[in-house]
Amino acid sequence: QVQLVQSGGGLVQTGGSLRLSCAASGHTFSTYVMAWFRQARGKEREFVTSINSSGGSTYYTDSVKGRFTISRDNARNTVYLQMNSLKPEDTAVYFCAAGLGGWRPGTYSYWGQGTQVTVSS
């Protein structure tokens, strides 16, 4: 069992930056692919980025490439999402997830509680 606790987020102006953190409990964090998803109001949850267990491979959805960076610290059981050059369309509830990988939410078994990110224009 893995529990994920998120922190960070909030309100920022267009062009600003935010960093999200997701701390995991348990001793198996380093075995999971970690990902960030987001869900805007009235829309389905969508894949944002993922990182493999070692941190050596990352994947990003096209809309955030060059602006967002995922990283992980296996010694601290934590995954991060650095978000730069934020746009109003990035406004959503962001979720961290642990699982087998890929872009489908169904392949992730464990989820954080979600954190609101709001980008004002």
Side-chain angles (χ1 to χ4, degrees), residues 76-96:
R76 297 178 182 269
N77 281 8
T78 302
V79 62
Y80 305 96
L81 180 62
Q82 178 66 44
M83 302 183 292
N84 298 329
S85 302
L86 283 161
K87 304 175 180 180
E89 52 263 43
D90 295 317
T91 295
V93 178
Y94 284 70
F95 298 88
C96 65

Side-chain angles (χ1 to χ4, degrees), residues 1-8 19-27 29-30 34-36 71-81 95-98 110-115:
Q1 193 76 296
V2 176
Q3 289 188 320
L4 303 176
V5 179
Q6 297 177 221
S7 60
R19 189 174 86 152
L20 306 183
S21 299
C22 174
S25 64
H27 302 288
F29 173 79
S30 63
M34 298 298 298
W36 290 94
S71 61
R72 67 188 296 163
D73 184 341
N74 286 343
R76 297 178 182 269
N77 281 8
T78 302
V79 62
Y80 305 96
L81 180 62
F95 298 88
C96 65
Y110 304 102
W111 292 84
Q113 80 276 20
T115 187

Side-chain angles (χ1 to χ4, degrees), residues 13-119:
Q13 292 185 332
T14 296
S17 298
L18 286 173
R19 189 174 86 152
L20 306 183
S21 299
C22 174
S25 64
H27 302 288
T28 58
F29 173 79
S30 63
T31 67
Y32 288 102
V33 172
M34 298 298 298
W36 290 94
F37 287 76
R38 65 186 180 187
Q39 188 165 16
R41 185 175 299 179
K43 295 188 176 181
E44 292 186 352
R45 193 167 298 190
E46 67 169 353
F47 173 84
V48 176
T49 179
S50 66
I51 187 167
N52 72 343
S53 57
S54 68
S57 293
T58 57
Y59 301 90
Y60 297 90
T61 192
D62 286 346
S63 62
V64 308
K65 285 180 180 177
R67 301 188 298 120
F68 289 13
T69 302
I70 189 172
S71 61
R72 67 188 296 163
D73 184 341
N74 286 343
R76 297 178 182 269
N77 281 8
T78 302
V79 62
Y80 305 96
L81 180 62
Q82 178 66 44
M83 302 183 292
N84 298 329
S85 302
L86 283 161
K87 304 175 180 180
E89 52 263 43
D90 295 317
T91 295
V93 178
Y94 284 70
F95 298 88
C96 65
L100 298 177
W103 58 271
R104 298 178 188 271
T107 60
Y108 294 85
S109 300
Y110 304 102
W111 292 84
Q113 80 276 20
T115 187
Q116 178 70 46
V117 170
T118 302
V119 185

